Each structure stands twice: as structure tokens, then as C-alpha cells.
Amino acid sequence: MRVAITGASGLIGSVLSQRLAARGDRVVHLVRRQARSSAEREWIPGAPLDPTVLDDVDAVVHLAGAGVGDKRWTAKYRRTIRRSRIDGTRTLAQAVLTLDRPVRVVSGSAVGIYGSDRGEELLTETSTAGKGFLADVVRAWEAEMRPAREAGVPVAFARTGIVLSPDGGAMERVLPLARLGLGGPLGDGQQWWPLVTLDDEVSALLWLVDHPQITGPVNIALPDPVRQGEFMALLGEELHRPAVLPAPAFALRAMLGQFADDILGSQRVRPDVLLDSGFTFASPTGETAAQWLVTRDKE
């Protein structure tokens, strides 16, 4: 297959590119600058895409977007988060509509659509959307693909949880604290965390590329949900460090701003669509995910 990827230089996109190439697929990176090789093609999110860019592409994996945990959520950065997702998705939706053949689309999304705090409620792909900034962003983000879906394009929304990796994302900042024995619970630690290892995240995206019959929302998170405090304790065990002292909620809000509400919230997400389709997680539990994370950190 020839697979085009946006956000290919990011944490997930870079590993996905490697895995696709390793299995023999041809990878095309859509980049927001002039192409420097035959493996790159230029695109400008929010602007019409040259129809020839996707002429020979079998699937598109759309991962581009500003990181929600990279900066404090100022009014300006909230606008950046929103526009970076909506503009690019609209561009791709319009582009695939111009093609005279079906192209598989796996569009990045997030479990943030369920809202920042759903308590003990079990959240599946059929659950209603929640409230809050991220929920609003994800609703608008996915809506940009509606014209393509209505035209019969096989679109899957990869509603990703918190991706575990020592090389980026939230764990890049949490792991150094955990190694020092400072990886205690955040807040009361009872909130459900929708975790997934980077390895399983990429495997799930590959599964979706290969199974175009799977359309609509697809949760990507541990099939055996874990509470935040429990996971940090498991991580401490793997690192042979204590994980006792909690991080006060007020301190997190001081450091992270509005994003702290999402970290302190509870999302008990279950990936029913993936499980029902036959996908198998390599790290399905909090324990195996913590083991994977620490092992990967030592490599």
C-alpha cells in the first residue's frame, strides 16, 4: 500500500511511518513546507490540496495537530489547538472527495470528546459527547470529515487516550519524577485514566488502515481500565521506587492551567470497536503497560 501521513514527525506518526515501511508499505509524508524528497508532498492545512498529492495513495492517516499538553492553555493557544485540527481535517476531507476511487481515511481524534470528568461511567464508542473545551474541539474536528463520510469514504476516527512513551507526551515528564520516588497520585488518584502504550497505539492505527470496513468512532485505550493512582503505584513497583506522596490539585492547576482539569478528571474508556473486530492489545492492563513503559525507557 501507499499510505500518506500528516503529523509524521510527531511521537505517533514517526513510529507509524517506521512500522509501515518495515512491513513493505510505501509511506508519503504530507509536510507544511516544500517537499525535499520523493517521500514528501507539500500541503497547507486550511488551503485546497493539489489533487495530484493523493492520486496514488491507498490510505491517509491524519495525525497533525498542536499538542494539548505542550503549553498552558492561554486563549491564543486554545485557538491554535482548535484551528490546527479543524483546518487540516477540512482540507483532507475536501481532497478525498475529488478522487475517483475510494481512499481509506484514519483521522486522528481523542477520548477528550467524552468530557474531562465522567466519574465511574463506562465510556464506549456509543457514549454521548461531554462538555468542556476538548470535547467541543473534538466534536468540531470530527465534524469536518462529515462530507467525506456522507459521500461513502471509509473514515475511522481514532479516539486516542493518553499515549505512554518515555520519549514524548505526558510520560516524558512523569517518568523522571517517578524515578526519584515522586510519582505519587495526582489529586486523589481515583480518576480513571484512558492509557495506551505507544506500541499498541501504532498497532491499532495499522489495524484500522488494514480494515476499511471499520468506520466511525474507535476508542484506543487499555481494554482493562486503570485508575491513575493504581497505575502510578504499578509504575513505582517497576522502577523500584515509592509512589506515595500525592500531587496537590492546586499545584497542578498552577503548573498546567486549564489542562489540569482534564488530567484530574476521570474517563473510564473501553475500546469496544477494536475488541469486537478482533484486535489484540499487547499491553492490555495497567501492569503490562507499566512494564512496557519501563522496559522501553531502558532501551
Side-chain angles (χ1 to χ4, degrees):
M1 299 177 66
R2 186 183 292 274
V3 182
I5 304 176
T6 72
S9 62
L11 176 67
I12 299 170
S14 58
V15 178
L16 176 63
S17 296
Q18 295 167 8
R19 293 270 296 273
L20 284 165
R23 72 180 199 174
D25 292 322
R26 293 170 294 174
V27 182
V28 174
H29 293 174
L30 300 187
V31 296
R32 290 176 293 176
R33 53 169 171 74
Q34 186 173 2
R36 297 171 182 167
S37 72
S38 59
E40 294 183 344
R41 295 174 189 176
E42 184 179 3
W43 79 309
I44 302 175
L49 188 66
D50 183 339
T52 62
V53 169
L54 300 180
D55 264 355
D56 57 350
V57 168
D58 302 299
V60 178
V61 182
H62 175 39
L63 301 175
V68 295
D70 292 353
K71 299 180 181 179
R72 286 179 60 86
W73 286 2
T74 62
K76 180 179 179 181
Y77 196 63
R78 284 197 296 270
R79 290 193 295 270
T80 298
I81 290 173
R82 185 181 179 90
R83 291 259 54 98
S84 69
R85 286 157 173 76
I86 291 174
D87 289 351
T89 306
R90 179 181 300 155
T91 292
L92 289 175
Q94 293 171 348
V96 297
L97 283 172
T98 67
L99 302 176
D100 57 2
R101 57 189 178 77
V103 172
R104 170 57 157 168
V105 176
V106 179
S107 189
S109 185
V111 298
I113 195 169
Y114 302 117
S116 61
D117 193 356
R118 298 289 284 264
E120 296 295 307
E121 182 181 356
L122 188 61
L123 302 170
T124 71
E125 288 85 355
T126 62
S127 297
T128 58
K131 299 178 181 179
F133 170 69
L134 280 185
D136 291 343
V137 168
V138 180
R139 265 196 301 266
W141 186 7
E142 292 186 357
E144 291 297 333
M145 271 292 168
R146 186 176 297 130
R149 294 189 68 195
E150 291 176 348
V153 176
V155 178
F157 297 108
R159 290 181 176 174
T160 296
I162 300 171
V163 178
L164 300 176
S165 169
D167 304 316
M171 286 301 117
E172 185 177 31
R173 285 174 281 181
V174 170
L175 265 176
L177 296 175
R179 291 191 206 100
L180 295 172
L182 302 176
L186 303 179
D188 64 11
Q190 291 302 300
Q191 63 270 39
W192 295 96
W193 253 11
L195 305 175
V196 63
T197 66
L198 177 59
D199 181 52
D200 276 335
E201 167 72 15
V202 172
S203 294
L205 293 175
L206 290 171
W207 182 266
L208 293 177
V209 167
D210 294 341
H211 293 79
Q213 71 274 21
I214 303 174
T215 59
V218 182
N219 291 339
I220 307 180
L222 297 179
D224 187 8
V226 63
R227 296 186 189 274
Q228 189 274 332
E230 177 188 354
F231 179 76
M232 295 308 295
L234 291 167
L235 186 59
E237 290 177 9
E238 291 297 320
L239 292 168
H240 306 292
R241 295 289 188 274
V244 179
L245 296 176
F250 74 86
L252 287 171
R253 290 191 175 94
M255 288 186 296
L256 301 175
Q258 188 180 352
F259 184 52
D261 293 333
D262 289 81
I263 294 296
L264 292 166
S266 180
Q267 293 178 320
R268 191 181 179 189
V269 175
R270 190 173 66 192
D272 280 2
V273 170
L274 278 176
L275 296 174
D276 291 345
S277 70
F279 179 78
T280 301
F281 285 80
S283 303
T285 67
E287 181 178 9
T288 53
Q291 291 170 350
W292 179 90
L293 181 61
V294 172
T295 300
R296 175 66 178 268
D297 188 41
K298 295 177 180 177
E299 292 178 353

